[in-house]
Amino acid sequence: MTAQDLKDGPRALRRLGWLSRGGTTRIPATTGSEAHECYSRAVSLWVESGGVADVSSLVDAVLRTARQSRPDVQPHVIETLKKSCWTWCRWLRRIRPDSILHFDGGEGLLSGQIGYEVDRETVLTAECDFVCQGSAKDTIELYDWKTGWRRWDSDAVANSFQFQFYAYLLAQTYPGSEILVSIWNSRFNEFTRPVGFSPLDIERVWSRIEQSMDTRTKFQASSEPPPTWPTETKCAICAGAVDCPSATPVARDIAANPGDFVDRMVAMKSAIAAMAKVATEYADEKGDISTPHGNSFGRSKPRQTRRPAAELY
């Protein structure tokens, strides 16, 4: 399979068995992926209309698709989009349809799936949300939709491996172009300032990609497990946490069933409250409680002059 074949997008990957028909993972679709579908429908309408669709029609496409989201996440999808979709749709109408090169949900040459064939055995590929010709000569503009509560800024974009990787692929697809990357922070109704990746920047990005490829090649044929850097923050939002042996136990639990995880948190909180109540009664009657492990409970923790609350110390 060559990089050109990747112009066919996910269909080509499914033919190779790299993608299941139901999606890229077994993890249920998130609010973010459903929101991306809403944006894709609006872009498709804008392209198909030849630039005739008005703002109201584009907004209707976004919100109508949001209302058709999976029932369990539909309210969250609507909440994510409703306050900012007018701004986003006005922005979209400023983009000439014939300048749009790729977008998530596009077909054929307009597919958001882009790729670069490093050698006969290695193809780098990614799916971009929106790519168009820049207003300045020899520039390509990449826009990515972010629907979470993290507020991306230009510094975060510049240092992100994700967007360095996207910029590299686009630089190979459109040689000699400067790649400008912006983020649409949907929940904050704003775009970030564009971050430029010049041909010189792309050379530096390649070193980072090459290091990642070398690590993958080294451990792909080895029985030794690859290095991992698990953290609560990263693992908690990783779609692969439920199956990853390196993920933290609590991250695996919440990835497997978020609802059950929260129910257990509530039950544990109630149990701890009941335990603290009886421990307080005991400590007030017989004195603070100490354990061989160095834990204590009672009112003698040195901190305040007035009567403190009973607590662990």
Side-chain angles (χ1 to χ4, degrees), residues 6-253:
L6 289 170
K7 296 292 186 181
D8 292 333
R11 289 190 183 86
L13 298 181
R14 289 193 182 101
R15 287 199 298 271
L16 291 175
W18 294 355
L19 270 182
S20 67
R21 189 164 298 278
T24 58
T25 73
R26 292 176 293 148
I27 307 299
T30 63
T31 297
S33 62
E34 294 283 347
H36 276 64
E37 177 66 20
C38 300
Y39 287 133
S40 296
R41 293 288 180 88
V43 176
S44 294
L45 173 61
W46 180 238
V47 171
E48 292 166 3
S49 75
V52 174
D54 57 22
V55 175
S56 296
S57 298
L58 297 175
V59 170
D60 179 67
V62 171
L63 296 182
R64 184 174 65 252
T65 306
R67 290 191 292 269
Q68 296 169 351
S69 298
R70 222 176 62 179
D72 58 330
V73 298
Q74 187 224 50
H76 305 293
V77 176
I78 294 174
E79 179 65 24
T80 299
L81 301 174
K82 68 179 182 180
K83 294 180 180 179
S84 62
C85 63
W86 281 91
T87 301
W88 183 86
C89 289
R90 291 190 187 98
W91 164 82
L92 180 60
R93 290 198 77 250
R94 295 198 293 269
I95 306 295
R96 298 192 331 271
D98 60 0
S99 74
I100 298 174
L101 303 172
H102 309 279
F103 68 94
D104 180 16
E107 299 289 336
L109 294 176
L110 289 177
S111 170
Q113 198 82 29
I114 58 173
Y116 170 62
E117 187 174 13
V118 179
D119 53 45
R120 292 174 62 90
E121 297 181 350
T122 308
V123 176
L124 303 178
T125 182
E127 187 164 29
C128 300
D129 287 342
F130 189 93
V131 181
C132 65
Q133 295 173 344
S135 54
K137 183 180 179 181
D138 295 329
T139 60
I140 299 295
E141 297 178 2
L142 164 67
Y143 295 90
D144 193 85
W145 324 135
K146 294 299 184 185
T147 57
W149 286 106
R150 175 182 178 181
R151 194 169 193 168
W152 284 76
D153 58 25
S154 298
D155 289 338
V157 173
N159 294 319
S160 165
F161 182 74
Q162 175 189 0
F163 298 117
Q164 290 181 0
F165 184 72
Y166 287 4
Y168 180 83
L169 293 182
L170 287 170
Q172 305 313 308
T173 306
Y174 303 97
S177 297
E178 180 181 16
I179 312 302
L180 303 177
V181 182
S182 297
I183 301 299
W184 168 243
N185 286 311
S186 179
R187 292 186 183 272
F188 302 97
N189 197 24
E190 65 181 14
F191 281 101
T192 61
R193 178 175 54 83
V195 173
F197 291 89
S198 67
L200 181 60
D201 294 326
I202 295 302
E203 290 183 17
R204 290 194 288 265
V205 169
W206 169 246
S207 298
R208 192 175 183 184
I209 296 174
E210 191 173 35
Q211 179 63 32
S212 299
M213 292 171 56
D214 289 345
T215 300
R216 179 181 183 276
T217 301
K218 175 183 176 181
F219 289 97
Q220 189 174 28
S222 171
S223 58
E224 182 183 351
T228 58
W229 303 274
T231 66
E232 295 290 0
T233 302
K234 293 179 180 179
C235 293
I237 61 174
C238 177
V242 68
D243 296 316
C244 178
S246 297
T248 59
V250 289
R252 283 199 297 271
D253 284 350

